[in-house]
Each structure stands twice: as structure tokens, then as C-alpha cells.
Amino acid sequence: MSAWPDGYGLHVLEEVDSTLDEAARIAPRMAGPVWIMARRQTKGRGRRARAWADPAGNLSSTLVMRPEGTPAQAALRSFVAALALFDAVVAATGRAQGLALKWPNDVLLNGGKLAGILLESSGSGQGLGHLAIGIGVNLAEAPAPEVVEPGAVRPVSLLSETGVAVTPDEFLTELAAAYARFETQFRTHGFGPIRLAWLDRAARLGEVITARTGRSETTGTFETVDEQGNLVLNTAEGRVSIPAADIYF
């Protein structure tokens, strides 16, 4: 097991509405970055306000911090968190086989969705009050298929895919340690090394994928992620840079 990283607090709750909501509540009074973990969430959420199902034994957590820089720079920490999740799974299971990172914020195992990341922040203009990085991991059980929207990647659990049983407490320690390492790299060297490491683990790089927003749909070859974290597709109309979308394979 890794050791808990220096400089990061830990706040464990038996039950909460959402660890993201708790992050907003404690942000004004915290002295440094804090990990929040809940044994049970009553109103967990994912991207675009979708409900997030988290059966017992899974990880429901949020890292809340007050980072320097612009909101756009802070948002790049979704890639930092994804790399930390990848390494935490490897640390917990002893294997990287079948693991991949799906833009913008999912971790896949054997082609199924193992974990999701959701960033929320407060502030206005170029100011940033706090950044909350919500992370949910299907450690023990995957949500039922009927709670997943049509066309989405099927959910899987770490236990069902690897046979490895890991408690939320154990996994969070590995995740926090891995995140601290990548956060230090990000602060010291910027997004460049994080971007390259993420691309080395990217799902469907070089393959045809579809990016959907509420207003449009774009299909093309997944070429890269640019220096701003945008998805770059090579389409019939040329290269397209996409800042936010849901991805379908």
C-alpha cells in the first residue's frame, strides 16, 4: 500500500448528498487540498447532471482544492486525475492490461467503464474560488445496465473484471498518492508531459469515433488531444477541435 500523501487532508462521511456538494460546503474554510469520501451518496451525479449510481463497496470521492491560474488551466486537472486513476488501478491489481483512458474523463477496463471524473468549480471571470474533482470508481459492483443511457459504454467493476477485491479506503489511498505525484508534475512542468502520458493510455487513438454535444455530432479519426485539452478529430471536412462532448465508439 502507498502512504497517504503529505499536504492532503481526508474527510470521510458515512452518508452525504454528494461529495461534490460537500466540497462546495467545506471549500471556504479549508487550509489545503482535501479528499472527501462517502460510504453512501444520496444524490450522486455525473456529467450533464446525470444521476451517478454507486452501489455499496464502490468509491465515491471528491478532491477539493484552490488552485492558482485560470479556470481553463484548472480544468486540465481532469487529465491529471485520469492518470492518477490509471496508476491507482495498476497499484491495486498489479496489472495494466485492458486499461485505457477515454476522453474527456472516463477510465475503461476491458472496454467497459470502470470510473468517471467530473470537475466543478466556483468563481467568476478569471477568478477561481475552488475546484472540485469528483471521482467514482466501480470497485465492487457495476451499476445495472438499465441505468446507463443508450449507446453509452457498458459499466464494469474492478472485482468482476480482475477478481481483485479492494476496499474504498484502500483504493483512495492509492489514488491520493498517485494524484499527488501527477499534480506535482503538472505544477512543475505544465500540461505537456501530462498530455503525452495521457495519449499513451488513450482509448481508440487513431480510430474513428463520434463526438456528440447537445447541438451537433461529429465523426472522424481520433488524431490527438491538443495543448488546451481539446479533442482533435480528422473529418471529411478537415481537422476539428472539440472542447467538450460525449464520445461514442
Side-chain angles (χ1 to χ4, degrees), residues 75-213:
L76 294 174
R77 284 178 170 82
S78 64
F79 295 91
V80 178
L83 290 173
L85 270 169
F86 189 102
D87 277 13
V89 173
V90 173
T93 64
R95 52 176 275 184
Q97 182 181 1
L99 276 174
L101 302 179
K102 177 176 176 280
W103 188 92
N105 52 14
D106 291 340
V107 178
L108 306 184
L109 177 58
N110 298 335
K113 180 173 177 175
L114 176 68
I117 301 165
L118 177 63
L119 269 62
E120 294 185 352
S121 61
S122 69
S124 60
Q126 291 300 302
L128 190 67
H130 77 270
L131 174 70
I133 306 172
I135 298 176
V137 186
N138 301 328
L139 296 176
E141 184 180 347
E146 56 265 23
V147 306
V148 179
E149 68 173 359
V153 174
R154 66 184 175 91
V156 299
S157 75
L158 192 69
L159 181 61
S160 67
E161 296 298 311
T162 69
V164 176
V166 183
T167 69
D169 303 75
E170 291 169 337
F171 190 85
L172 183 60
T173 299
E174 296 294 351
L175 176 59
Y179 185 90
R181 293 194 299 272
F182 284 112
E183 174 69 20
T184 297
Q185 184 183 57
F186 180 64
R187 287 173 179 259
T188 304
H189 302 291
F191 183 54
I194 296 294
R195 172 180 171 269
L196 293 177
W198 190 94
L199 285 169
D200 282 342
R201 298 159 177 78
R204 305 297 180 98
L205 187 64
E207 298 183 22
V208 175
I209 63 175
T210 297
R212 295 176 187 164
T213 69

Side-chain angles (χ1 to χ4, degrees), residues 175-249:
L175 176 59
Y179 185 90
R181 293 194 299 272
F182 284 112
E183 174 69 20
T184 297
Q185 184 183 57
F186 180 64
R187 287 173 179 259
T188 304
H189 302 291
F191 183 54
I194 296 294
R195 172 180 171 269
L196 293 177
W198 190 94
L199 285 169
D200 282 342
R201 298 159 177 78
R204 305 297 180 98
L205 187 64
E207 298 183 22
V208 175
I209 63 175
T210 297
R212 295 176 187 164
T213 69
R215 301 181 301 274
S216 65
E217 178 175 304
T218 305
T219 298
T221 301
F222 178 11
E223 187 174 299
T224 191
V225 167
D226 67 18
E227 290 75 10
Q228 288 74 48
N230 300 323
L231 177 73
V232 179
L233 298 183
N234 193 350
T235 74
E237 289 75 35
R239 295 174 85 243
V240 177
S241 179
I242 301 171
D246 289 321
I247 300 303
Y248 296 86
F249 298 151

